[in-house]
């Protein structure tokens, strides 16, 4: 008996031999790779030293336990990148890396706009911006971020 | 009048069949009737009326004058583009009173061709988000399936800024849908007929995502084609000013006005920009379309999958070559984005200290104390969280492990696109989002980062590679919400991309949202 | 070696008044107390680039403008503004790199260096940490004082382009800082040296040479008092054969003197600390601020070309050709020194003084041009030992010297041919300052200062002296040679101080021997 129907390799439908199978090129099922947790590093504990250090360099506070969890989750997502083999791959800093940087001629074309520059400053004194004294490290406040932080 | 396309409106203004004043008043009226969508942060109706009057005056002059390409056309601009003398808040407390002394290049170019600003649109704070729900002015509501009732219209008041900061601000029991983000306001403005075109920004899908949810065209050009001078940055290496419009032709018109090298932005390409108009016909048989299989991701809804399949099949039946291709690193793009985004945010936000501009706290004990207090009061949790994460990834001991790694993965993603195009594919066809616009309730049950991870998966890889992409509304879902499909093109082949998108649009004849009935509601 | 207590000490530099910290930890004492302390000094020099506009913005780059008038929105870090690189700054950087014999990188990149400070509006500085403009150069320079003269070579690690910060005025009473951003964004070349210097004198001699080079190629005006050249020093103290000791950083030294003094001061202090505490260094990684360097995303890489690779450029954009810039390199101080040594057979020490003093080389060479047969040695000698002194006394620079080079040459000729004595020539020089329009030979004639060199006349004078002082002759003959000088002096007096001392002495000797 001659086979009059074949199975299309793409969509697994059975079609008549004489007809061209029209099957959609759109895949029927999702094909994402499962996360292999053995290949990704663990999320480190965010200890008090790290909290203090990050708050100091960011001049922004974690605020509460939720803030620290947010960071842990971000690290967890970032760690999944280690599933990708990047041996020998040059980091890509800019999509324009092959283009030449535009160079401006050395002419005075800007400035002389003191009013505009100062227009949005909340505090000014005699055309100067005003800041409090600097070089004074942030006071480390006592904050309880709960069980997530080590040795706090 | 408001259901005209931009192209039609421009023609009618030129031939005098409508006056700029009439058009302007109609738009302002629609703006007032759709206040509850909360699409605008700042409305510039006085400026609009003055500009419209100016246009009509120019027409009445006896001497012939150059009729500019967008003469008399109202547009909306996302509130992260600087506009001289007009508040530019980026929906954040930090910049809520910031009045820029300069105008973004792309906005200036539109204005130079006769367009005028009807308002600055609502967004996620500092463009961080994919729902337009995380700004201090409250969330943007999707006009599709929105129940405009007179009681709603009555209850509408301007929200005092002091009250906003919490995600769950809106207490309405109506189950309305989000507009998408972060340029939701601009999308809603075009969809609801308030204006004929709008500017958004697109870093990971911030224009294409709301375009899909709101049933309008959302076009992200190739990175380097449009100037970012004046666009408050989110991720400098991925941000692109982007466009909302009703049709692909409209997007092309706006793009042609704005594109080209800008001496103020070193990341615009210096090549001469050749202006173009899109052909009305194209030979579909010469086309090779790629269907990247990885874009069938977990969570893709049945409706969106069907729309995608129908589109692919339609192209094939029309004679185009359609093949399934692979972009193997697609699923890692969003993870790569998280790292690069947070790092750039940590860096870009370092300038907000209260000294030169923006919010300034009252603590004057030391510079460090002032900065910390200013930044605590000025930023929301999302922004702060990204700054902390970004600084974590940039620490000396972490740089190689995270930042350099992410840049390596970025190259792999970019190479994926290059390889596929080198094999003969002209364009890629994918869904824009996993589903149609979710409800606000559903969306806010997740935190901002999870939402981004889910909502941006199809749009984000495009920004990694810098290639152009456009979301075109295809059809409505079974529950009456628009579905957008995405076309992804090759670097600097924006014209080719738009041409194919236009052909598709002509085939599907998507019916735009029509809110003309609101005109009859008092 | 057990590391125990970490010690962080805070000091205020007595010269620049800035706070600095030293980091160290104790270890058990060794038996190295007997060896002397040596110090190793490396420098980071920030030179403001002498361009019209700033590095990344078109605002004016000029010293002393009214507050906040030379500030563009980019300099004040307004949101949405972007950097655009100044071609003039790159060219200056390349010229400097070539002058310091560096290898210019064909591709260099920009980075962000993050830290918070009120005079840094963006919260980061744009610099070139990973892939700078140029690497691996060297500078030959001389260290000289009254007693010694030494030539050395210092190695340059790298040269990078970066932004300068704004300026803060601190008001201690009201506890505020007033910020002026005029300087913010000005282009700087950071020149980093290897730790090749041994003390303050050494380091300051190098800085002087660097100043001369930069002023010659005109990429920086080097006015340290205006802050256009600033020096940071990294000083380590150790005992010979042992690893480097505590590293101290002294920042913002803004005069040659303070470079010398501050380093010497630190040396003494470090050595002193070390004698008391026997401290050893902390690993750098543990103590340095984490600047979280990140590539600057708004600036694609900078590509530079040479005459070969420039042919491959199809774009119409202006490009920078390193070879073209090499052609523009003028003779550098070291080149001039070598040339003077060879051309005029002068000693290195003398040549160093000529090159050291601005304008002196031109003066010298003009003299030689107008009087080619004159002794170069004598000319340079007289310029260094006499002319400079007179100019100093009268508070004039060589550019305002009233003595024309032609006349100076004639003066030296008179000296060379022994028509006047050395001491007379000094007197003539003074006269020439007073009366610059009178030629030196006319002055000599007017004052009757010509030496008597006629042997017959001088013989007569000598014979007369010998006749008058027979006792002195016999004393001389008894072996007391000093009496020759006494007789010669008497003859000089008899000649009204006009006798040529050399010839007179010779004649006197001959007469005494032959009588």
């Amino acid at each position: 008996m001659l086979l009059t129907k074949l199975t299309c390799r793409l969509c697994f439908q059975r079609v008549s031999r004489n007809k061209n199978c029209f099957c959609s090129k759109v895949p029927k099922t999702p094909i994402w790779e499962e996360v292999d947790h053995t290949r990704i590093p663990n999320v480190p504990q965010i200890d008090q030293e790290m909290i203090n250090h990050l708050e100091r360099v960011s001049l922004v506070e974690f605020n509460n336990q939720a803030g620290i969890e947010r960071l842990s989750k971000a690290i967890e997502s970032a760690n999944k990148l280690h599933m990708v083999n990047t041996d020998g791959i040059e980091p890509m800093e800019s999509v324009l890396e092959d283009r030449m940087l535009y160079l401006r001629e050395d002419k005075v074309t800007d400035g002389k706009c003191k009013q505009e520059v100062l227009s949005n400053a909340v505090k000014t004194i005699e055309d100067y911006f005003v800041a409090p004294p600097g070089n004074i490290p942030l006071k480390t406040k006592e904050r309880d971020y709960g069980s997530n932080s080590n040795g706090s | 009048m408001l259901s005209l396309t931009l192209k039609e409106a421009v023609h009618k203004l030129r031939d005098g069949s409508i006056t700029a004043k009439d058009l302007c008043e109609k738009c302002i009226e629609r703006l007032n009737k759709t206040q509850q969508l909360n699409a605008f942060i700042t409305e510039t109706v006085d400026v609009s009326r003055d500009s419209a009057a100016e246009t009509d005056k120019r027409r009445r002059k006896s001497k012939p004058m150059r009729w500019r390409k967008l003469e008399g056309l109202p547009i909306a601009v996302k509130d992260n583009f600087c506009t001289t003398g007009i508040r530019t808040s980026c929906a954040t407390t930090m910049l809520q009173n910031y009045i820029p002394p300069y105008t973004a290049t792309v906005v200036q170019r539109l204005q130079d061709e006769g367009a005028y600003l009807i308002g600055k649109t609502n967004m996620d704070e500092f463009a961080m988000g994919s729902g337009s729900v995380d700004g201090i002015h409250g969330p943007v509501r999707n006009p599709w399936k929105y129940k405009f009732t007179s009681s709603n219209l009555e209850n509408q008041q301007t929200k005092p800024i002091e009250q906003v900061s919490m995600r769950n601000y809106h207490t309405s029991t109506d189950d309305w849908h989000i507009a998408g983000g972060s340029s939701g306001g601009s999308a809603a403005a075009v969809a609801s007929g308030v204006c004929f075109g709008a500017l958004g920004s697109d870093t990971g899908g911030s224009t294409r995502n709301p375009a899909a949810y709101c049933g309008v065209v959302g076009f992200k050009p190739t990175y380097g084609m449009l100037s970012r001078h004046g666009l408050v940055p989110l991720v400098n290496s991925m941000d692109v000013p982007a466009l909302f419009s009703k049709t692909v032709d409209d997007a092309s018109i706006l793009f042609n006005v704005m594109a080209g090298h800008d001496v103020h932005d070193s990341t615009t390409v210096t090549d001469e920009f050749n202006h173009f108009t899109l052909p009305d016909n194209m030979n579909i048989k010469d086309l090779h379309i790629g269907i990247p299989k990885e874009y069938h991701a977990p969570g893709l809804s049945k409706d969106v999958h069907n729309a995608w399949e129908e589109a692919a099949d339609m192209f094939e039946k029309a004679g185009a070559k359609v093949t399934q291709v692979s972009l193997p690193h697609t699923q890692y793009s969003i993870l790569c984005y998280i790292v690069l985004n947070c790092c750039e945010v940590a860096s870009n936000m370092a300038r907000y200290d209260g000294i030169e501009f923006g919010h300034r706290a009252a603590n004057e004990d030391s510079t460090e104390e002032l900065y910390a207090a200013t930044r605590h009061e000025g930023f929301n949790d999302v922004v702060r969280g990204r700054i902390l994460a970004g600084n974590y990834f940039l620490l000396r001991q972490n740089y190689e492990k995270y930042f350099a790694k992410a840049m390596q993965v970025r190259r792999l993603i970019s190479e994926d696109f290059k390889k596929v195009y080198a094999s003969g594919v002209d364009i890629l066809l994918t869904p824009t989002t996993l589903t149609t616009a979710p409800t606000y309730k559903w969306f806010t049950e997740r935190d901002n980062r999870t939402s981004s991870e889910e909502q941006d998966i199809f749009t984000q890889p495009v920004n990694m590679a810098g290639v152009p992409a456009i979301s075109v509304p295809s059809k409505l879902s079974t529950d009456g919400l628009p579905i957008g499909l995405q076309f992804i093109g090759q670097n600097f082949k924006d014209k080719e991309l738009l041409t194919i998108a236009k052909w598709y649009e002509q085939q599907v004849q998507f019916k735009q949202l029509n809110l003309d009935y609101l005109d009859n509601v008092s | 070696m057990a590391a125990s207590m970490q010690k962080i000490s805070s000091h205020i530099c007595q010269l620049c008044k800035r706070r600095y910290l030293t980091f160290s930890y104790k270890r058990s004492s060794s038996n190295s107390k007997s060896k002397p302390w040596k110090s190793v000094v490396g420098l980071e020099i920030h030179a403001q680039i002498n361009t019209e506009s700033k590095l990344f913005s078109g605002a004016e780059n000029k010293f002393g403008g009214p507050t906040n008038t030379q500030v563009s929105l980019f300099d004040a870090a307004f949101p949405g503004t972007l950097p655009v690189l100044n071609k003039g700054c790159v060219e200056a950087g390349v010229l400097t790199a070539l002058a310091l014999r560096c290898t210019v990188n064909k591709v260099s990149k920009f980075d962000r260096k993050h830290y918070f400070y009120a005079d840094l509006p963006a919260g980061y500085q744009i610099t070139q940490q990973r892939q700078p403009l140029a690497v691996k150069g060297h500078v030959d320079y001389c260290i000289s004082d009254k007693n010694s003269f030494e030539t050395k070579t210092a190695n340059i690690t790298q040269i990078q382009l970066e932004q300068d910060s704004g300026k803060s005025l601190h008001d201690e009473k009201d506890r505020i800082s007033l910020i002026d951003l005029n300087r913010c964004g000005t282009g700087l070349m950071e020149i980093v040296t290897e730790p090749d210097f041994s003390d303050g004198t050494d380091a300051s001699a190098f800085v002087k040479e660097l100043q001369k080079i930069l002023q010659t190629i005109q990429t920086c005006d080097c006015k340290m008092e205006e802050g256009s050249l600033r020096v940071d020093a990294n000083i380590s103290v150790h005992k010979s054969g042992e690893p480097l000791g505590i590293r101290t950083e002294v920042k913002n030294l803004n005069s040659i003197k303070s470079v010398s003094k501050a380093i010497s001061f630190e040396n003494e202090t470090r050595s002193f600390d070390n004698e008391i505490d026997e401290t050893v260094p902390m690993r750098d990684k543990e103590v340095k601020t984490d600047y979280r360097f990140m590539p600057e995303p708004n600036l694609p890489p900078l590509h530079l070309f040479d005459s070969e690779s420039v042919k491959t450029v199809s774009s119409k954009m202006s490009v920078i050709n390193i070879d073209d810039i090499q052609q523009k390199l003028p003779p550098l101080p070291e080149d001039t020194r070598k040339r003077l040594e060879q051309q005029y057979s002068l000693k290195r020490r003398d040549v160093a003084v000529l090159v050291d003093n601005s304008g002196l080389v031109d003066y010298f060479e003009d003299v030689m041009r107008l009087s080619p047969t004159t002794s170069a040695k004598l000319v340079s000698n007289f310029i260094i030992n006499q002319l400079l002194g007179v100019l100093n006394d009268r508070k004039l620079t060589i550019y305002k010297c009233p003595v024309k080079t032609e006349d100076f040459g004639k003066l030296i000729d008179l000296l060379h041919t022994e028509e006047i004595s050395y001491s007379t020539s000094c007197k003539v020089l003074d006269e020439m300052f007073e009366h610059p329009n009178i030629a030196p030979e006319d002055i000599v004639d007017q004052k009757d200062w010509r030496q008597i060199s006629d042997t017959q006349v001088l013989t007569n004078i000598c014979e007369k002296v010998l006749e008058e002082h027979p006792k002195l002759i016999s004393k001389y003959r008894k072996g007391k040679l000093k009496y020759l000088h006494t007789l010669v002096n008497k003859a000089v007096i008899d000649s009204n101080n006009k006798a040529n001392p050399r010839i007179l002495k010779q004649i006197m000797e001959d007469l005494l021997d032959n009588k």
Side-chain angles (χ1 to χ4, degrees), chain B residues 347-400:
Chain B
S347 178
N348 295 334
M349 299 294 141
R351 67 189 61 207
Y352 296 106
D353 52 28
I355 306 284
E356 286 84 19
F357 48 80
H359 176 68
R360 181 179 181 130
N363 188 326
E364 300 280 338
D365 292 342
S366 71
T367 313
E368 287 78 0
E369 294 289 344
L370 171 65
Y371 285 18
T374 297
R375 292 154 75 78
H376 176 82
E377 293 166 16
F379 294 143
N380 71 4
D381 283 345
V382 175
V383 179
R384 286 204 296 260
R386 293 198 193 186
I387 293 172
L388 290 162
N391 276 322
Y392 178 84
F393 295 134
L394 286 174
L395 290 177
R396 207 182 284 128
Q397 68 262 33
N398 289 334
Y399 182 90
E400 283 299 322

Side-chain angles (χ1 to χ4, degrees), chain A residues 10 22-35 39 41-42 44 46 50 53-55 57-64 67 70-71 73-75 77-102 104 110 116-123 129-139 141, chain B residues 97-101 223 237 261 263 266-267 269-271 291 293-294 296-298 305 308-309 312-313 316-317 322-324 329 331-332 335-336 338-339 355-358 360 363-372 375-376 379 381 384-385 387-389 391-393 395 397 401-402 404-412 414 418 449 453 457 464-466 492:
Chain A
L10 279 171
F22 181 85
C23 51
S24 185
K25 305 302 178 290
V26 171
K28 299 271 185 232
T29 49
I31 61 142
W32 277 26
E33 203 181 322
E34 281 291 319
V35 173
R39 281 162 61 188
N42 290 327
I46 316 287
M50 177 58 76
H53 185 50
L54 284 178
E55 287 188 341
V57 296
S58 310
L59 287 183
V60 152
E61 292 170 13
F62 278 96
N63 241 21
N64 50 33
R70 209 172 280 129
L71 174 61
K73 283 268 172 340
I75 299 172
S77 292
N79 278 346
K80 291 179 195 163
L81 281 176
H82 290 89
M83 280 179 53
V84 184
N85 183 348
T86 51
D87 292 343
I89 304 291
E90 189 65 29
M92 180 183 230
E93 291 161 16
S94 165
V95 293
L96 299 175
E97 60 191 2
D98 295 327
R99 298 247 161 191
M100 280 190 351
L101 177 56
Y102 171 76
R104 173 177 63 83
D110 225 330
E116 287 165 353
V117 164
L118 297 171
S119 63
N120 277 281
V122 170
K123 246 193 201 175
F129 294 104
V130 181
N135 273 340
I136 301 170
L138 220 47
K139 306 186 198 85
K141 299 188 186 113
Chain B
N97 295 316
Y98 173 61
I99 315 273
Y223 182 90
S237 62
H261 179 237
V263 295
S266 305
T267 57
V269 294
T270 49
D271 305 342
I291 307 291
K293 61 184 184 189
E294 290 83 4
H296 192 152
H305 180 267
W308 186 21
E309 204 173 52
D313 296 350
E316 194 160 9
K317 284 171 183 153
V322 178
T323 54
Q324 198 179 81
H329 297 95
Q331 76 181 81
Y332 301 105
L335 307 171
C336 190
I338 285 168
V339 174
I355 306 284
E356 286 84 19
F357 48 80
R360 181 179 181 130
N363 188 326
E364 300 280 338
D365 292 342
S366 71
T367 313
E368 287 78 0
E369 294 289 344
L370 171 65
Y371 285 18
R375 292 154 75 78
H376 176 82
F379 294 143
D381 283 345
R384 286 204 296 260
I387 293 172
L388 290 162
N391 276 322
Y392 178 84
F393 295 134
L395 290 177
Q397 68 262 33
K401 209 162 54 168
Y402 293 108
K405 180 82 182 178
M407 288 198 290
Q408 287 174 306
V409 175
R410 182 174 187 178
R411 183 174 296 281
L412 289 173
S414 176
K418 285 196 182 120
R449 193 193 43 81
E453 271 189 50
I457 49 170
M464 280 291 167
F492 304 107

Side-chain angles (χ1 to χ4, degrees), chain C residues 105-174:
Chain C
N105 281 333
K106 293 272 174 52
V107 181
S108 60
K109 295 181 179 174
F110 290 93
D111 303 295
R112 292 183 180 180
K113 177 180 179 183
H114 300 89
Y115 62 95
F116 287 109
Y117 205 74
D119 61 15
L120 193 70
Y124 60 83
Q125 176 201 35
I126 302 180
T127 176
Q128 293 186 298
Q129 198 243 4
R130 298 163 297 144
Q131 213 165 310
L133 186 70
V135 290
K136 289 198 176 55
H138 64 269
V139 174
D140 299 321
Y141 63 103
C142 325
I143 312 173
S144 68
D145 62 22
K146 289 197 184 76
N147 305 316
S148 65
F149 182 84
E150 194 190 343
T151 47
K152 282 189 77 177
T153 302
N155 292 301
I156 308 289
T157 318
Q158 67 183 55
I159 299 178
Q160 61 205 54
L161 295 175
E162 59 184 35
Q163 291 173 307
D164 208 345
S165 59
K167 271 199 191 148
S168 351
L169 301 175
H170 303 289
D171 183 335
E172 295 294 338
K173 186 170 74 75
D174 293 332

